[in-house]
Amino acid sequence: MNIGDRVVAWSKDEEIKKEGASGGLVTSLLTAALKGELVDEVIALQKKSEFEGVPIRTSDVDEVIKCSGSLHAAPINLTKFAVRFFEEHPDGTLALPAKPCDARGIIEQAKRKKIDLEKTYLIGLNCGGTMGPITTMKMLEKMYEIDPNEVIEEEIERGKLIFKTEKEEKAISIDELEEAGYGRRENCRYCEINIPVMADLACGNWGAGENETFVEIFTEKGLKLMNNAIELGLIETAPATEKGIKIREKTNGVMEKVAKKWHEKIFVPIEDRLERLHYYMDVMEDCIDCEACKYVCPVCACDESKCIDFYDPMDSHKISIYHLIRLLHLSDSCIGCGQCTDVCPAEIPLTTLHRRMADRIQTKYNYVPGMDMKIPPSFEVE
Amino acid sequence: MHLRGDRKMEEEWTPKITLFCCNWCSYAGSDDAGVGRKQQPPTTRTIRVMCSGRTDPGFVLAALLEGSDAVLFTGCHIGDCHYISGNYKAKKRFEMLKEILDELGLEDERLQLQWISASEGSEFAEYIRKVTEEIKAIGPSPLRQEWMK
């Protein structure tokens, strides 16, 4: 195997293969990395139910195996967990599965010296979008007419969202769901990066057969992960078929097109200046000053938060300096992961606000955050 | 008894302008304007900073929220910075702030950057006169008007 190779792979362990999605490759890679002493710890998402996942940091192989399976309805970003790992173990090594937004967050943190990218193994996961857990439960009751507690498996295939219970299997197209107001989170709808090209590996079921995972190897570290797992006899690989590669590219192309359409639909420019000011004030006046958006933000990297330096909570009744500074700080690094909207108890559409600012600055400086380590953040001056 | 000047103040709105001056050039420049008796309107509130690069974007946003109608960055000409590269940093911050404030709906004139050296007293006075006229023309800051309601 070489860098740039595309292969299909699957787990040799029957239990992992059954529990994990698409042949259980990612779980096997993580266990192999621990067994082969490639890494000290891994971060994984422990499944509590179909709608709840709890991120854990562990060096126990059995714990990792329990984490297998995909969770589309648990939108969690693992970046801050990786930051905490490097705060505690500056010389440690870490492996984690990463959606494009996890990987981009980690690269932005690495640029700000919070994460050592040389010591982080990123197992990229193709991502067509995630869903909010509550929205999903409501959607199951209304659109699918399934009791959310009975769901045992969920899957996205060919633009359709499939839910399986013990008795039945139902599929509805994502377009239809999104028109009805359900489906993916808003920021996922306009996200154009579906294949994590910035990670070490990109794994996904696009272009792979039943119980297989399509893997593209991007870096030396990715190659190490694969070879380590093969040497330990945990996974098996085969070269990807031409047809598979084409299907994967086509799926990616379709997803990008849909994302562009959503982007146009959501980000309608507000021409009038005063109207624009009122738009920002009206949505931000609901802020209750909990600072949750700051804690979850994967690209927020101040040692001592600058946004609360001049901040008086009395100000939060309208647009506050806390939000203004955050809008400025994230304008070069915002990756549109949607965490701030998810956690906001006042339901302020923060991601949309941040993206409105960030789109301007990122277009101006031609900077796409979290794609590689070569270009420094736009705020930096040579 | 009213003095003439007082009555005039009541009639005409004057803008409040926050002015950040670099200790090594524009602050001396404003001093030079004073020593040279160059006339300039009393609209500015000058804040001396050690370098234009010290002007944190937070200062600017705080000034605007607290009721400034405009904020001016002034510093040494590019290449003349006392600390080698402070004014490049100021320039970058200014450019990014400008985009943010524009998106927020503030006019272009409300944030300005001007390089003024220590010997340019008359240019300094001229610049303050020009900015005051510009701000008078566009009126009070919408951020302050809406925010103070």
Side-chain angles (χ1 to χ4, degrees):
Chain A
M1 258 189 292
N2 290 309
I3 293 169
D5 273 4
R6 289 155 201 197
V7 294
V8 286
W10 57 91
S11 173
K12 272 171 129 181
D13 188 313
E14 283 306 317
E15 193 200 344
I16 296 177
K17 203 170 174 178
K18 198 170 137 266
E19 285 294 314
S22 310
L25 176 78
V26 177
T27 312
S28 291
L29 283 176
L30 288 172
T31 48
L34 279 177
K35 278 183 188 164
E37 287 178 358
L38 217 52
V39 296
D40 299 331
E41 279 184 20
V42 304
I43 299 178
L45 207 56
Q46 200 164 49
K47 196 169 176 173
K48 294 281 173 195
S49 73
E50 280 301 324
F51 314 100
E52 195 186 354
V54 178
I56 53 160
R57 235 178 61 201
T58 178
S59 49
D60 184 354
V61 177
D62 296 332
E63 286 282 321
V64 178
I65 293 172
K66 275 188 210 155
C67 294
S68 47
S70 64
L71 276 172
H72 285 104
I76 285 170
N77 196 300
L78 300 176
T79 309
K80 280 275 161 92
F81 295 87
V83 172
R84 209 148 308 144
F85 172 80
F86 282 102
E87 271 170 17
E88 288 167 25
H89 313 280
D91 298 321
T93 47
L94 181 70
L96 70 158
K99 308 187 287 302
C101 50
D102 293 311
R104 292 173 75 192
I106 281 168
I107 287 177
E108 281 299 303
Q109 291 285 357
K111 279 182 190 172
R112 290 161 177 83
K113 316 264 188 307
K114 298 276 177 189
I115 284 179
D116 190 345
L117 205 60
E118 294 292 307
K119 289 175 183 158
T120 313
Y121 290 83
L122 292 174
I123 304 172
L125 310 172
N126 291 359
C127 175
T130 50
M131 299 171 296
I134 303 293
T135 325
T136 315
M137 283 189 217
K138 277 186 195 156
M139 177 175 77
L140 277 167
E141 278 169 2
K142 288 219 173 120
M143 305 281 290
Y144 286 79
E145 289 162 355
I146 292 178
D147 182 4
N149 299 322
E150 283 175 12
V151 174
I152 46 164
E153 212 182 315
E154 95 336 295
E155 211 174 320
I156 296 177
E157 219 178 87
R158 295 204 184 85
K160 278 188 177 169
L161 186 61
I162 306 158
F163 281 97
K164 289 177 195 164
T165 62
E166 305 247 315
K167 288 171 267 168
E168 52 179 344
E169 187 181 316
K170 254 189 189 176
I172 300 180
S173 84
I174 293 180
D175 290 339
E176 195 187 327
L177 293 171
E178 276 167 13
E179 251 161 56
Y182 301 105
R184 295 173 296 166
R185 291 145 80 219
E186 194 182 62
N187 61 297
C188 294
R189 295 179 195 174
Y190 59 77
C191 176
E192 285 175 29
I193 296 162
N194 306 301
I195 296 178
V197 287
M198 68 300 281
D200 299 316
L201 294 172
C203 309
N205 61 0
W206 303 345
E210 188 87 357
N211 282 337
E212 284 175 356
T213 304
F214 189 110
V215 189
E216 189 171 352
I217 302 162
F218 293 115
T219 62
E220 197 70 43
K221 277 182 288 166
L223 200 60
K224 239 187 190 170
L225 271 172
M226 290 296 282
N227 282 335
N228 172 55
I230 293 169
E231 274 164 31
L232 287 168
L234 288 169
I235 61 164
E236 223 168 317
T237 61
T241 55
E242 280 296 320
K243 201 180 151 209
I245 294 172
K246 267 194 191 137
I247 290 174
R248 181 168 175 260
E249 268 161 20
K250 205 179 148 199
T251 316
N252 189 32
V254 171
M255 297 294 277
E256 271 175 20
K257 246 185 226 164
V258 174
K260 280 200 180 108
K261 256 187 215 157
W262 270 110
H263 192 277
E264 272 171 33
K265 203 168 162 186
I266 292 167
F267 295 96
V268 184
I270 308 167
E271 296 297 341
D272 184 55
R273 278 182 187 280
L274 211 56
E275 215 173 288
R276 221 153 53 213
L277 183 65
H278 276 287
Y279 165 72
Y280 283 104
M281 280 185 165
D282 289 348
V283 287
M284 282 190 183
E285 70 182 3
D286 294 338
C287 179
I288 58 162
D289 177 38
C290 67
E291 293 169 24
C293 44
K294 173 165 79 78
Y295 288 108
V296 291
C297 182
V299 291
C300 212
C302 295
D303 283 324
E304 281 169 37
S305 301
K306 278 228 156 155
C307 42
I308 50 174
D309 252 12
F310 310 102
Y311 177 44
D312 179 351
M314 297 269 282
D315 294 346
S316 60
H317 70 288
K318 275 194 184 161
I319 196 163
S320 69
I321 196 157
Y322 167 71
H323 284 298
L324 285 182
I325 292 183
R326 271 183 58 75
L327 282 172
L328 178 75
H329 271 196
L330 300 184
S331 61
D332 65 340
S333 56
C334 177
I335 51 173
C337 66
Q339 295 294 313
C340 41
T341 307
D342 282 351
V343 296
C344 185
E347 299 192 343
I348 303 174
L350 281 161
T351 314
T352 317
L353 304 184
H354 280 296
R355 283 313 309 170
R356 271 181 184 273
M357 297 286 175
D359 270 346
R360 283 179 78 128
I361 299 234
Q362 286 167 11
T363 327
K364 185 179 173 186
Y365 292 104
N366 199 9
Y367 176 73
V368 186
M371 296 308 277
D372 53 39
M373 289 293 285
K374 285 175 210 143
I375 310 167
S378 348
F379 238 130
E380 214 156 276
V381 181
E382 308 72 42
Chain B
M1 194 185 89
H2 282 289
L3 293 173
R4 257 182 94 193
D6 272 342
R7 210 176 295 151
K8 215 178 169 192
M9 287 284 276
E10 278 169 22
E11 282 160 15
E12 199 180 8
W13 171 77
T14 48
K16 282 183 191 153
I17 300 171
T18 308
L19 169 70
F20 290 101
C21 279
C22 155
N23 178 50
W24 305 100
C25 53
S26 48
Y27 192 78
S30 88
D31 209 26
D32 191 44
V35 171
R37 303 280 169 107
K38 306 282 191 308
Q39 282 301 314
Q40 48 166 306
T43 48
T44 55
R45 275 74 174 149
T46 310
I47 295 170
R48 181 170 64 162
V49 284
M50 286 309 281
C51 175
S52 51
R54 175 67 182 90
T55 324
D56 192 295
F59 298 170
V60 177
L61 297 169
L64 287 168
L65 282 182
E66 301 279 325
S68 283
D69 295 303
V71 177
L72 311 179
F73 275 57
T74 57
C76 308
H77 289 271
I78 289 289
D80 288 351
C81 181
H82 191 77
Y83 306 101
I84 300 163
S85 65
N87 47 12
Y88 286 95
K89 288 175 182 137
K91 190 163 172 270
K92 192 67 173 250
R93 273 168 208 165
F94 166 78
E95 283 166 4
M96 291 184 80
L97 265 169
K98 194 108 188 166
E99 288 287 323
I100 297 290
L101 294 182
D102 188 52
E103 177 63 34
L104 272 177
L106 294 185
E107 292 88 343
D108 240 16
E109 291 87 352
R110 302 215 186 268
L111 182 66
Q112 298 194 20
L113 176 72
Q114 182 78 11
W115 307 131
I116 298 168
S117 81
S119 59
E120 294 175 335
S122 53
E123 278 90 341
F124 181 88
E126 178 60 44
Y127 177 60
I128 300 300
R129 280 201 292 276
K130 185 187 125 234
V131 173
T132 308
E133 283 312 310
E134 278 174 8
I135 304 300
K136 266 186 186 164
I138 57 172
S141 157
L143 196 57
R144 168 168 129 201
Q145 278 179 315
E146 301 300 323
W147 202 68
M148 296 282 175
K149 255 180 203 170

